[in-house]
Amino acid sequence: MKIALSTGGGDAPGLNAVIRAAVLSAVNRGWEVVGIKKGYAGLLGDDEVIPLTAESVRGIAHLGGTILRTTNRGNPFHYPVYLPDGSCEERDRSDEVIANAKALGIDALISIGGDGSLGIAQRLCEKGMKIVCVPKTIDNDVSGTVTTFGFDTAVSTALDAIDKLHTTAESHDRVIVLEVMGRHAGFIALHSGVAGTADVILIPEIPYDIEKVCDKIRARDKSGRHFSIVVIAEGAFPIGESPSIHGAHKVGEAERLGHVAERLAEAIEGRTRKECRSLVLGHLQRGGQPTSYDRLLAVRFGGAAVRAIAEKKWGHMAALQSPHIVFIPIKQVLGETKRVDPSHDLVLTARATGISFGD
Ligand code: F6P
């Protein structure tokens, strides 16, 4: 048996722990393992395919990033190809991926990635490749699984930022707006905001009214609390508007969201006359050591993926359905982005403890 591993999409803390667990589980079965570098680029001549042994995964479980590297512009069905005139166009190179994997004697693939990678895996499976998936994203927006590894680490990083912003905001009587990641899901903002006792949390699932946001800040001011912390998800938007897309995204790349914190801080300052500052936490949320929770989930997913190959569960994805890791068909979760349920107990409790969602 010869299996391959690949990591695709944005990195997330815990990827190396998945790789280590999968490689050791496979090697200990007597299987051969290779790593396809940079998504599928290693199979398309744009990077390499490397042997993965017990030696190559030594000492990596606690490290952020991925030893296989990754890309969010590597969809083989829409692969960016650079032309001699410097322009770039998308080509379908999926047949080459399949042929090159076959030529290398790869029997099965473990694809570790988010919704984009799951979609690619499903299409490659339909063309005959044998793939099992491990879901990954700091955004926690993959359905079918209670959570994904990387999310807990991202929330911890955001929480640390909120704790630090509190002391400076209070010292200066300022409003500080913190923008966190999450794409079209507000999980990072909700979880870090509630844990960090933010005063306002704005998420894409609950469009906000700027006046309501300012009402909360004014009410705090009146009650003697002259500072406020606002946590806004990059995909959040005012009622009647749509998410803020910024930057010219490149061929093969998903749209970029964000740049909402500064605009919000200006709007709050204009209305309340309070001194405001903003901060975009950005890619800090994707870095650093995975928390113990993420590391354990990653290890469980990695080990389970190898068992899934042994059981020929092609086209399935590992999922945490507490307390068990199960395998569910990828088809079941595709196109169903998991989002915050506004009637979830965390939202209800946040409201009950005085946090405003700006609605
Ligand atoms: O999906 C993970 C994520 O970090 C999102 O939260 C964010 O919108 C996006 O990736 C950023 O991607 P990039 O690495 O291309 O800036």
Side-chain angles (χ1 to χ4, degrees), residues 10-11 72 136-139 141 181-183 188 234 253-257 283 286:
D11 66 341
N72 51 14
K136 158 249 55 161
T137 169
I138 64 162
D139 305 332
D141 60 355
M181 285 182 164
R183 296 197 63 78
I188 298 177
E234 62 181 2
E253 185 189 38
E255 64 192 11
R256 291 187 208 162
L257 294 170
H283 293 80
R286 293 235 302 257

Side-chain angles (χ1 to χ4, degrees), residues 7 11-12 25 38 72 82 122 125 154 216 226 268 303 333 344 355:
T7 52
D11 66 341
S25 302
K38 227 173 176 201
N72 51 14
Y82 294 90
Q122 175 62 28
C125 278
K216 171 71 188 174
H226 299 298
I268 295 171
V333 303
H344 189 272
I355 294 175

Side-chain angles (χ1 to χ4, degrees), residues 232-244:
I232 182 165
E234 62 181 2
F237 54 93
I239 294 168
E241 294 187 25
S242 46
S244 154

